[in-house]
Amino acid sequence: MKKREVVDTVKGFRTQDGAGVSLVRVLGHSTVGDFDPFLMLDSFDSENPDDYIAGFPTHPHRGIETVTYLVNGEMDHKDTLGNEGKILSGDAQWMTAGSGILHSEMPKPTDRLLGLQLWINLPKDDKMTTPKYFDIKGKDMPTKDYGDYTVKVISGEFDDLKGATPHHLQATLYDIALKNGKKIEIPTKANEKVFIFTLLGECKIDGKKYDEKTAILFNQGDSIEVEGASDDLRFTFYSAPMLDEDVAWGGPIVMNTREELNQAFIELEEGTFIKENPEE
C-alpha cells in the first residue's frame, strides 16, 4: 500500500463574482492542468448578508457540471428550462450544464453562509449532453461517526457508506470533520486525481501544517492520511478520473477547442444557445 504525498497546494483568495458576491476562489484557470478534471472551486463563508445577497443572476453554462454544497445557509435556484427550488443547510445540488443552460443562484440572508461550489469538466463526448439536475438532500447523505472523525458521503463510497452516483464523470466527494490531533486514512482509487480542501480549520499531513481555505493536491497512491491541527477542522475530499483533454475555457463555458467556445458565444448572441434535442 502506497500512501499519497502532497505535490501542490493552492491557498484561496478573497474576490467577487456574480453581481458582487464576496467569496474565496481556490481553483481556477491557472490550476486546470494540475487538478484535471476539477476546474473551479469557490468557497462561501460570511456572516454578513451584504457579502452575498446580490447573488448570481441569470447566466449561461455549457460543457461542465457544477456541484453546490451548503454546510449552512439557503440558496434559491431557477433556470430557463422551468426548474426551480432551494438548496438548504446540509444539501447539495449536482447540475449538468451539458449543451447549455441559463440559470440563477441567489443566496438568502442567514446567520452564516458556509459552503462551496465545484466545477467538474465534462468529457468531450458528454459536452453536449442534455442538461439535468439531481438534488442530494442532507438526510440522504450517509453519515457515520467513527469517534476520531465523522464522514458524510456526498457521492461515491466510503467504508460501508454509499452516496449519490453522478450521471457522468464518477467523482467521489466527502465532507469530513476530524478531531484535533487525530488522524484519518482515506483509501483512494488508482489513477484518479485526489485533493482535499480545508473548509474550516487547519490540518497536518506528514507533519506539515496547512491553513484554512487551502486545496491540497496529492500524487498517485492507494490512500491519503490527514491529521487534525485545530479544534474545528472540517475538510472536503475529492477524487475523479483524469480526462487529459484539451480545455478551452471562456467565463462560464468550458469546451475542448477555441472554435467550440466561439460557437457557444455566437449562439448566446443569436438566441440559439438552448437546445431542444442537444444529443441529436
Side-chain angles (χ1 to χ4, degrees):
M1 296 289 286
K2 179 186 176 184
K3 188 172 68 174
R4 293 182 184 237
E5 298 177 341
V6 174
V7 291
D8 195 12
T9 61
V10 182
K11 181 68 181 293
F13 62 93
R14 182 67 63 172
T15 187
Q16 288 190 344
D17 207 338
V21 176
S22 176
L23 49 78
V24 175
R25 177 139 298 159
V26 188
L27 303 183
H29 287 265
S30 64
T31 60
V32 169
D34 290 339
F35 283 78
D36 169 38
F38 302 105
L39 295 169
M40 193 178 82
L41 178 63
D42 284 344
S43 175
F44 313 115
D45 190 353
S46 176
E47 297 178 355
N48 181 4
D50 290 339
D51 283 343
Y52 56 78
I53 56 173
F56 305 89
T58 301
H59 57 281
H61 284 299
R62 175 179 284 180
I64 63 171
E65 295 189 287
T66 68
V67 182
T68 304
Y69 175 54
L70 292 183
V71 174
N72 191 77
E74 179 180 336
M75 188 178 293
D76 292 343
H77 68 90
K78 188 175 183 179
D79 67 35
T80 52
L81 301 177
N83 301 298
E84 61 180 299
K86 290 182 179 292
I87 308 170
L88 303 176
S89 296
D91 293 348
Q93 181 198 73
W94 204 298
M95 184 190 78
T96 303
S99 63
I101 198 166
L102 296 170
H103 77 149
S104 63
E105 300 158 296
M106 306 299 290
K108 312 303 289 184
T110 185
D111 59 334
R112 183 180 189 181
L113 179 66
L114 179 63
L116 55 88
Q117 184 172 96
L118 174 74
W119 290 15
I120 304 173
N121 204 5
L122 277 171
K124 181 179 179 179
D125 291 343
D126 293 336
K127 287 287 188 186
M128 297 297 286
T129 190
T130 301
K132 59 185 78 74
Y133 292 89
F134 68 96
D135 293 321
I136 313 171
K137 297 299 182 183
K139 63 181 178 60
D140 297 323
M141 298 180 197
T143 304
K144 188 172 182 178
D145 185 348
Y146 291 85
D148 292 343
Y149 52 86
T150 299
V151 179
K152 175 189 283 189
V153 179
I154 301 170
S155 65
E157 299 182 24
F158 178 88
D159 196 16
D160 59 348
L161 309 177
K162 183 174 175 58
T165 301
H167 290 293
H168 297 281
L169 207 63
Q170 295 303 299
T172 297
L173 279 64
Y174 308 143
D175 175 5
I176 299 174
L178 177 59
K179 291 182 178 179
N180 195 356
K182 303 300 182 180
K183 295 181 180 181
I184 180 174
E185 184 173 4
I186 305 172
T188 60
K189 297 177 182 177
N191 301 318
E192 290 201 356
K193 191 62 60 76
V194 171
F195 79 98
I196 66 171
F197 171 62
T198 50
L199 180 65
L200 290 174
E202 301 173 328
C203 74
K204 282 184 180 180
I205 300 170
D206 292 330
K208 183 176 180 179
K209 183 179 286 189
Y210 297 91
D211 294 337
E212 182 174 292
K213 302 294 190 285
T214 300
I216 304 165
L217 180 67
F218 296 84
N219 62 6
Q220 290 299 309
D222 303 301
S223 68
I224 67 169
E225 185 177 78
V226 181
E227 179 181 351
S230 63
D231 291 334
D232 57 351
L233 175 61
R234 189 162 188 170
F235 69 92
T236 42
F237 168 94
Y238 308 86
S239 179
M242 293 170 281
L243 294 180
D244 194 25
E245 297 177 350
D246 291 333
V247 175
W249 184 350
I253 297 170
V254 183
M255 303 302 289
N256 294 106
T257 68
R258 177 58 57 178
E259 291 74 19
E260 292 170 339
L261 195 60
N262 292 340
Q263 181 62 33
F265 284 106
I266 289 171
E267 292 174 9
L268 273 172
E269 291 182 5
E270 294 179 343
T272 58
F273 186 73
I274 303 299
K275 309 297 183 185
E276 289 189 9
N277 298 294
E279 293 178 3
E280 296 178 8

